[in-house]
Structures are given as C-alpha cells and as structure tokens.
Amino acid sequence: MTFRSLYKCKVFKWAALTGAVLFTVYLFWPVGSLFPDDYSRVVTDRYGNILRVTLAEDGQLRFAAESEKLPDKYVRAVTIMEDQRFFYHPGIDPFSVVNSFVCNIRAGKRVRGASTITMQVVRLSHPRSRTYLIKALECITAIRLTIQKSKNEILKLYAIHAPMGGNVAGIYSASRYYFGKPLDEITWAEAALFAVLPNNPSMINIKKQRPELKIKRDRLIRTLQVKGIIDSTTYALSVDEPLPPVKSRLPFEAPHFAELALRSTDRNRIQTTLDIKKQKDAESIIKRYSRNYKDYGVANMAALVIDNN
C-alpha cells in the first residue's frame, strides 16, 4: 500500500469516526420544546365545572393535559390504529417501512405510509412539505425524541396536539367539545373515534362524511374485539353508539364573571369560587322577575345573594 493510499485510508477513517461521534452527540443533544406553550384558557367554578373556554393564540381549541396519565382505552385504540409497535420500536418502525415500500412498489404509487406516532409528533411540531429529505430528517428527529423522552411522554404530546377536525386539537379539548365531559369518562366508541379522527381530519370529520367516519370508527372497534381487547358485548354496544352532534358541547356560563376572571390572571386554567348551580338558581329567579317588570322598561337586573347565617 502506497503512502498516498494509506493517507487517504486514515483520512477516511478519521472522517467516519468524527461523523459518527457528531451524529451520536446530535442524537443526545436536547430536542428542546417541540411545541409552543399555546393553550386554550379555561375558567371553572369551585367544583371544576367549565364556565368559559377561549381559543389558543393560533386560533385552535387546544386544552393542556388535564391528568398525568392517558386513559387506557385511548392508548389501546390509538396504538392499534396508528402504530401497533409503538412501545417497542426506536421511533421508526423498520417492519412498517419495508411493508409500505413493498406495497407502494406493487401499486406503482404511494398507497401506504410508514409514519409512527413519534414521527407524527415531529411533523405536527414542524409542519413542512413532504419530501424524501424531510422524511429522513423526521426519522432522525423521531429517534432523538425516543432516546430523550419516555413513550408515555411522546404519546401525550401526540394526544394533546393531534388534529380532531376543524379548529379542535387534541383529545382533551375534543372530549369536552364533542361530548361535554372530561377525557377519563370516555367510552370505547369515543376512544376509537379520537383514534381515527386525525387520520384525515380535513376530509372525514364530525361535520363532513359522517357515514364514512362511523365506518372507520366501527372498523377499529371490530379490530379491538378481534384482538381480545374488548368482548362481544362491549363491541355491540360501542358500534351502536351514534357519532356526536356537530354543535359544540362547551358551556358558556356567567360570561361577565368569566371575563373578569380571565383578566385577573394569565394562567391557562382558572378555578374560581363561583358555584354554577347557585348561579343558575339565581339567574332563574331573576328571569321570573324580569318578565314581570319588562312592561315597565326594565331591561337589566341584578341579584344580591346573602347567607343569612
């Protein structure tokens, strides 16, 4: 081996070693905050009942996480729907990549993707054009994310930011918006709905192509039964559940008081001392008096509530 070839060989080895070291450092370099701290602001009464909700700064209805743990129903449904090996792969799923590559080659066009939930988190955090280079960068970032965060943390990021149709983002806000209840009270049918909604939210959602959406939801429920996750009775009850109405289930109570609460602090969640039941009782009494005095030109009324004790 000549001196020149030996020199080139050493240079190549050092370059390869340097590249490997830099790539390793890059993988462990903190990814930082993927999403801005931009959530809807929620005003509640003293018992946690929602009075008022505002949109986030980007115009989305996006709730921050309301609990530490995601409901098991949703975890089962979304991983079956989107990423069955989510808890075992390093951010990218090699089996899914090979399978989608073969399917696309056979079809002569792109008919199947290989995006994992982790890759979808990366894409949601930085929406960009779909090219092979961007796809490669998403894969690398997905690996970094898997190294630096737990699977539960990654899944929660997806759950908070996944599109749910219209300007509704994330399952916490979707549960309140579509069903008027907290996430930990969802049924299997509702969990399945939240798993399929992000699949193509601009085309198939609560407002558009509802029959197709129900078919997708029921197909996932059937898969849950086939895999032994739910029994036949739960399956029958779940597919019998109708889709939620288009109209929002979010309340709009005590508007003047809620506005005052919003101006008093910059917190995302504001728990007040108001009792919404007593508020509604007072409003009902005022409405009765208002009808009696309407002919006298009285258009506004107020009530002073006193504890006699």
Side-chain angles (χ1 to χ4, degrees):
M1 181 179 291
T2 65
F3 176 77
R4 184 185 292 271
S5 60
L6 183 64
Y7 176 75
K8 286 183 177 180
C9 183
K10 287 185 176 180
V11 169
F12 176 77
K13 287 181 179 179
W14 276 107
L17 180 61
T18 303
V21 170
L22 290 175
F23 184 69
T24 303
V25 171
Y26 175 73
L27 289 178
F28 286 90
W29 193 267
V31 293
S33 179
L34 291 174
F35 299 93
D37 185 18
D38 185 19
Y39 300 103
S40 297
R41 302 184 66 199
V42 182
V43 182
T44 72
D45 76 347
R46 67 194 310 153
Y47 301 112
N49 299 305
I50 293 179
L51 304 176
R52 168 88 177 273
V53 177
T54 68
L55 297 178
E57 291 183 5
D58 62 356
Q60 299 289 301
L61 183 71
R62 183 188 305 105
F63 281 27
E66 296 178 350
S67 57
E68 287 296 321
K69 189 178 179 182
L70 291 169
D72 184 63
K73 292 174 184 175
Y74 173 73
V75 174
R76 295 289 191 93
V78 75
T79 50
I80 290 294
M81 177 69 190
E82 294 287 349
D83 192 351
Q84 296 191 33
R85 287 176 287 273
F86 170 73
F87 288 101
Y88 309 105
H89 62 62
I92 58 174
D93 186 350
F95 297 102
S96 182
V97 170
V98 172
N99 193 20
S100 64
F101 180 76
V102 172
C103 289
N104 294 341
I105 289 295
R106 287 177 176 175
K109 59 180 180 179
R110 189 179 185 277
V111 295
R112 183 168 185 167
S115 291
T116 62
I117 288 177
T118 313
M119 292 170 66
Q120 292 182 56
V121 169
V122 174
R123 190 180 308 133
L124 287 169
S125 65
H126 296 91
R128 289 172 288 194
S129 58
R130 306 294 295 276
T131 65
Y132 287 111
L133 177 60
I134 296 299
K135 194 79 171 180
L137 291 174
E138 288 176 355
C139 290
I140 295 172
T141 308
I143 296 172
R144 290 179 66 200
L145 203 57
T146 304
I147 291 173
Q148 299 180 34
K149 292 184 181 294
S150 70
K151 290 290 186 177
N152 290 328
E153 288 176 317
I154 294 170
L155 190 56
K156 184 174 282 189
L157 284 174
Y158 176 80
I160 292 174
H161 296 278
M164 291 289 165
N167 69 331
V168 182
I171 58 175
Y172 293 99
S173 53
S175 183
R176 297 284 190 176
Y177 184 90
Y178 294 128
F179 299 106
K181 62 184 180 182
L183 186 64
D184 57 7
E185 296 179 9
I186 60 172
T187 65
W188 276 107
E190 292 160 359
L193 178 67
F194 293 157
V196 302
L197 268 176
N199 204 239
N200 193 357
S202 62
M203 294 297 296
I204 301 178
N205 54 53
I206 300 297
K207 297 179 182 180
K208 301 177 183 178
Q209 300 184 2
R210 288 171 65 89
E212 290 82 355
L213 177 61
K214 188 176 186 303
I215 290 171
K216 288 180 66 176
R217 185 204 69 174
D218 293 351
R219 190 183 299 131
L220 175 57
I221 296 171
R222 175 63 178 167
T223 303
L224 292 170
Q225 186 206 5
V226 170
K227 290 184 175 293
I229 297 173
I230 61 175
D231 57 30
S232 57
T233 302
T234 303
Y235 166 76
L237 292 172
S238 297
V239 296
D240 198 43
E241 283 189 32
L243 295 179
V246 174
K247 187 178 180 181
S248 168
R249 296 288 186 88
L250 287 173
F252 187 76
E253 307 286 356
H256 297 91
F257 176 79
E259 185 63 32
L260 179 66
L262 288 168
R263 290 201 303 265
S264 66
T265 180
D266 58 357
R267 298 199 309 271
N268 286 331
R269 191 170 186 87
I270 309 165
Q271 185 169 11
T272 68
T273 57
L274 187 74
D275 184 333
I276 191 58
K277 184 180 182 304
K278 289 185 173 63
Q279 171 76 13
K280 289 184 176 181
D281 288 344
E283 288 178 0
S284 178
I285 294 170
I286 289 176
K287 285 178 181 178
R288 290 203 304 269
Y289 276 91
S290 177
R291 285 193 294 267
N292 295 334
Y293 286 93
K294 188 176 181 181
D295 293 338
Y296 295 95
V298 177
N300 292 285
M301 281 194 172
L304 178 63
V305 182
I306 300 174
D307 182 354
N308 288 332
N309 294 327

